[in-house]
C-alpha cells in the first residue's frame, strides 16, 4: 500500500481555476522518494449523450477547443454536450442545464452511467457520464451555448451508425464522446 507524507502545494496561478506546483514523498519499500508535480485544479463536470433509439440518432455538438487547437491545430471537435458543475450543484441538475444551454434540449429521463477522472495525474477534475433518451419534441430551443461564456456551439443530430464509423476512422477524438458512443453501442439501446 502506498503511503504519502509531506504534501505541500504552492499555487502558481489562480484565475477561474488554479495551477499549482506540488511536492510530496511516497514510501518506496523501506525508504521515501521525493516527487514534484504540476496540478491543475478544476471542478467536476458532466457529459451527456442524448439518443433516439427508434430513429438511430444522437445529438452532438461542434465547437472550438483551445487545447486541441494548441496540440494539432484542430479548429473544432465533434463531441458530447458537457459542462462544469457550479459550486454545490448536483451533477444531474448541471447536466440538464448544459443540455438546454448547448443543445436546446429538455432532458426527460436520464441515466448516470459512472464517474471517471479525466486525467488523474495532472488534474482534479472528475466527470459524471450520462445518457438520455430524447425525441424531436424535446428540442425546445436553439441551443448554441451562452454568448456571455464565449460559446459558439453547433448542434448536430447525427446518424448513430455513421457516427460510430467516424469514431472508428479516428474522426472523433474527444475521449468523453468516444466513451459514451461505445457504451451506447454496447448497450443494445440503438437500432442495429
Amino acid at each position: 500500500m502506498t503511503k504519502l507524507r509531506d504534501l505541500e502545494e504552492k499555487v502558481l496561478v489562480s484565475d477561474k481555476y488554479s495551477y499549482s506546483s506540488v511536492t510530496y514523498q511516497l514510501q518506496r519499500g523501506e525508504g521515501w522518494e521525493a516527487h514534484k508535480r504540476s496540478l491543475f485544479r478544476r471542478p467536476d463536470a458532466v457529459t451527456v449523450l442524448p439518443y433516439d433509439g427508434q430513429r438511430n440518432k444522437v445529438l452532438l455538438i461542434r465547437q472550438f477547443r483551445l487545447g486541441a487547437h494548441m496540440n494539432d491545430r484542430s479548429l473544432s471537435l465533434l463531441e458530447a454536450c458537457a459542462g462544469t458543475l457550479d459550486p454545490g450543484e448536483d451533477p444531474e441538475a448541471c447536466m440538464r442545464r448544459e443540455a438546454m444551454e448547448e443543445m436546446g434540449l429538455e432532458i426527460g429521463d436520464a441515466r448516470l452511467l459512472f464517474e471517471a477522472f479525466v486525467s488523474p495525474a495532472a488534474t482534479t477534475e472528475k466527470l459524471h457520464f450520462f445518457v438520455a433518451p430524447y425525441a424531436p419534441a424535446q428540442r425546445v430551443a436553439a441551443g448554441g451555448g451562452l454568448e456571455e461564456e464565449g460559446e459558439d456551439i453547433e448542434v448536430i443530430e447525427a446518424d448513430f451508425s455513421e457516427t460510430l464509423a467516424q469514431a472508428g476512422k479516428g474522426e472523433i477524438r474527444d475521449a468523453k464522446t468516444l466513451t459514451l458512443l461505445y457504451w451506447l453501442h454496447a448497450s443494445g439501446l440503438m437500432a442495429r
Side-chain angles (χ1 to χ4, degrees), residues 25-64:
Q25 292 188 13
L26 285 179
Q27 187 173 27
R28 298 285 190 221
E30 299 297 317
W32 291 87
E33 182 178 272
H35 291 264
K36 182 177 180 179
R37 300 286 187 265
S38 298
L39 179 68
F40 182 40
R41 285 196 176 273
R42 75 155 284 117
D44 291 349
V46 299
T47 185
V48 61
L49 181 61
Y51 66 93
D52 182 334
Q54 292 189 348
R55 294 185 310 128
N56 204 42
K57 301 284 186 184
V58 290
L59 276 183
L60 298 167
I61 60 170
R62 184 181 302 279
Q63 64 182 319
F64 174 75

Side-chain angles (χ1 to χ4, degrees), residues 125-146:
E125 182 182 15
K126 183 172 52 177
L127 195 55
H128 303 261
F129 288 79
F130 289 88
V131 292
Y134 82 96
Q138 290 172 263
R139 300 246 353 247
V140 297
L146 298 178

